[in-house]
């Protein structure tokens, strides 16, 4: 999250240059709103030069504070914009950040502001563990694919009717009731990736990979089956299914049973646990080893729960939303 603060807009112009008293006649400092707008547009331009169009990296932004002011002739004093980016290596992440930080410093200088950064999160890349993968896949096969009750199926049909479609006997995509071997899943992912790319997507589970042998299990959650190739359902249909226990529980219970069987194997089969631990040490050198990557955030990291994300509060007028109070100062973080 990058903040712009116009801490001393009165120094933007020498007031003695204007022989008329009054702030309305003087040139106003551009301020934080202009800094935010320039940051947004400059980053759109420089995005082309951050990294080649390969490796399936993404960069997205969200305006947290819009630089609002209480008077039209006062420079907006404070604005915030959040950036989130994902790529296949920490080196690419750092390259993208160098461009973002450079943009922030320059637009701040152009608009009479100071620029700050507050980190929301940093995650490491994942560490595979084939021993854990093989064990989990064996147990997933023993449990079997999820089966959805009539309540869930009828809910799906009702949404199809609502959209003017003919309801289907099985309204869910076929893959949600099938088991996909890890090799097939990975081959499908790699089909659209360059050969040098070793990682895809981002999630917080990867943090565990650097502290213990880890495996990721994807649970089945239904989506509506398209009536024709290329048909796209509105997002609300997927969200609605996410609130129906009959549609969510089958996949979750398959995952829970698989995890339980895997834990039992690790507790009762010393050779299986030893193989997973040996692979972890071989890939990382063990915790603190030569190939190990430590946490990217400091141990005293201040959780950013005080950023300008609206939160809901109860007042005598009812439930409303407000801007939370920062932990320290404006909550802007460290200077760039």
């Amino acid at each position: 999250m990058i903040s712009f603060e116009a801490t001393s807009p009165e120094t933007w112009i020498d007031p003695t240059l204007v022989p008329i008293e009054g702030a309305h006649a003087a040139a106003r400092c551009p301020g934080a709103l202009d800094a935010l707008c320039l940051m947004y547009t400059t980053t759109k331009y420089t995005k082309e030069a951050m990294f080649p169009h390969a490796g399936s990296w993404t960069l997205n932004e969200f305006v947290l504070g819009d630089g609002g002011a209480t008077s039209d002739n006062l420079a907006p004093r404070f604005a915030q914009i959040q950036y989130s980016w994902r790529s296949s290596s920490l080196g690419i992440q750092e390259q993208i950040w160098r461009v973002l930080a450079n943009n922030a410093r320059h637009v701040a200088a152009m608009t009479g502001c100071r620029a700050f950064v507050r980190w929301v999160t940093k995650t490491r890349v994942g560490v595979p563990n084939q021993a854990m993968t093989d064990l989990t896949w064996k147990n997933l096969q023993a449990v079997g694919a999820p089966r959805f009750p009539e309540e869930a199926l009828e809910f799906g049909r009702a949404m199809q009717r609502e959209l003017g479609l003919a309801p289907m006997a099985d309204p869910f995509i076929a893959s949600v009731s099938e088991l996909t071997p890890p090799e097939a899943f990975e081959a499908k992912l790699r089909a659209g990736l360059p050969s040098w790319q070793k990682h895809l997507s981002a999630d917080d589970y990867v943090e565990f990979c650097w502290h213990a042998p880890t495996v990721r299990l994807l649970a089945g959650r239904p989506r509506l089956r398209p009536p024709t190739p290329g048909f796209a359902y509105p997002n609300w249909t997927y969200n609605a299914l996410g609130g129906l226990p009959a549609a969510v529980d089958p996949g979750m219970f398959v995952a829970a049973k698989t995890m339980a069987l895997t834990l039992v194997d690790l507790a009762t089969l010393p050779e299986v646990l030893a193989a997973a631990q040996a692979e972890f040490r071989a890939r990382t050198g063990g915790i603190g080893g030569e190939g190990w990557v430590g946490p990217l955030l400091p141990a005293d990291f201040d959780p950013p729960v005080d950023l300008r994300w609206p939160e809901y509060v109860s007042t005598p007028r009812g439930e409303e939303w407000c801007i939370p109070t920062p932990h320290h100062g404006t909550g802007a973080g460290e200077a760039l």
Side-chain angles (χ1 to χ4, degrees):
M1 186 273 297
I2 295 173
S3 296
F4 298 103
E5 291 190 27
T7 54
S8 52
E10 66 279 358
T11 63
W12 178 255
I13 187 173
D14 182 354
T16 63
L17 298 176
V18 182
I20 304 173
E21 293 185 2
H24 293 282
R28 188 187 77 169
C29 173
L33 179 58
D34 282 13
L36 186 148
C37 292
L38 284 171
M39 182 68 190
Y40 179 87
T41 54
T42 303
T43 298
K44 289 294 186 183
Y45 280 112
T46 54
K47 185 176 180 180
E48 294 295 311
M50 287 182 178
F51 193 74
H53 292 283
S56 62
W57 62 277
T58 62
L59 172 68
N60 302 293
E61 67 285 315
F62 176 75
V63 174
L64 286 177
D66 61 4
T70 56
S71 177
D72 61 357
N73 67 306
L74 296 179
R77 300 290 292 265
F78 187 76
Q80 293 180 321
I81 184 169
Q82 176 185 321
Y83 284 96
S84 300
W85 62 102
R86 299 169 173 84
S87 67
S88 58
S89 75
L90 293 181
I92 299 174
Q93 291 290 91
E94 291 164 355
Q95 161 62 17
I96 294 171
W97 168 239
R98 281 194 290 271
V99 177
L100 287 173
N102 196 47
N103 290 349
R105 295 187 191 100
H106 280 78
V107 302
M110 293 165 59
T111 56
C113 294
R114 298 180 65 198
F116 300 84
V117 62
R118 179 90 178 272
W119 291 100
V120 175
T121 187
K122 296 182 182 181
T123 57
R124 296 165 276 189
V125 299
V127 180
N129 194 287
Q130 192 63 46
M132 290 286 287
T133 299
D134 293 342
L135 179 63
T136 304
W137 171 237
K138 180 203 73 165
N139 289 323
L140 180 59
Q141 290 175 288
V143 174
R147 294 291 179 263
F148 297 92
E150 180 60 24
E151 179 186 354
L153 299 176
E154 179 54 33
F155 190 84
R157 297 185 196 111
M159 288 192 290
Q160 289 177 327
R161 295 189 194 98
E162 181 70 20
L163 294 170
L165 303 173
M168 303 174 185
D170 183 356
F172 299 150
I173 56 175
S175 60
V176 76
S177 296
E178 300 172 351
L179 300 183
T180 304
E183 296 82 1
F185 182 79
E186 183 167 352
K188 184 177 180 180
L189 289 180
R190 289 192 177 277
L193 302 178
S195 59
W196 54 264
Q197 185 171 344
K198 303 300 182 185
H199 302 91
L200 176 69
S201 186
D203 207 335
D204 53 3
Y205 84 95
V206 295
E207 292 296 299
F208 298 105
C209 299
W210 295 94
H211 298 274
T214 305
V215 60
R216 187 188 194 194
L217 172 63
L218 298 178
R221 180 180 164 190
R223 290 181 181 271
L224 291 181
R225 187 190 303 266
T228 56
F231 180 88
Y233 284 97
N235 286 335
W236 66 261
T237 59
Y238 185 59
N239 294 333
L241 285 167
L244 181 70
V248 175
D249 289 352
M252 295 299 104
F253 277 97
V254 164
K257 292 174 183 178
T258 302
M259 293 166 63
L261 289 174
T262 301
L263 288 170
V264 169
D265 285 344
L266 291 171
T268 59
L269 301 174
E271 68 278 10
V272 174
L273 178 60
Q277 292 175 332
E279 183 177 352
F280 173 78
R281 289 191 294 270
R283 292 184 183 273
T284 65
I287 295 178
E290 183 178 350
W292 190 72
V293 177
L296 302 180
L297 292 170
D300 61 350
F301 176 69
D302 187 19
V305 295
D306 60 317
L307 291 184
R308 294 171 64 87
W309 297 315
E311 63 180 21
Y312 290 92
V313 297
S314 295
T315 74
R317 295 178 298 274
E319 191 175 73
E320 301 178 358
W321 65 267
C322 69
I323 301 298
T325 302
H327 288 162
H328 312 286
T330 61
E334 58 187 279
L336 281 172

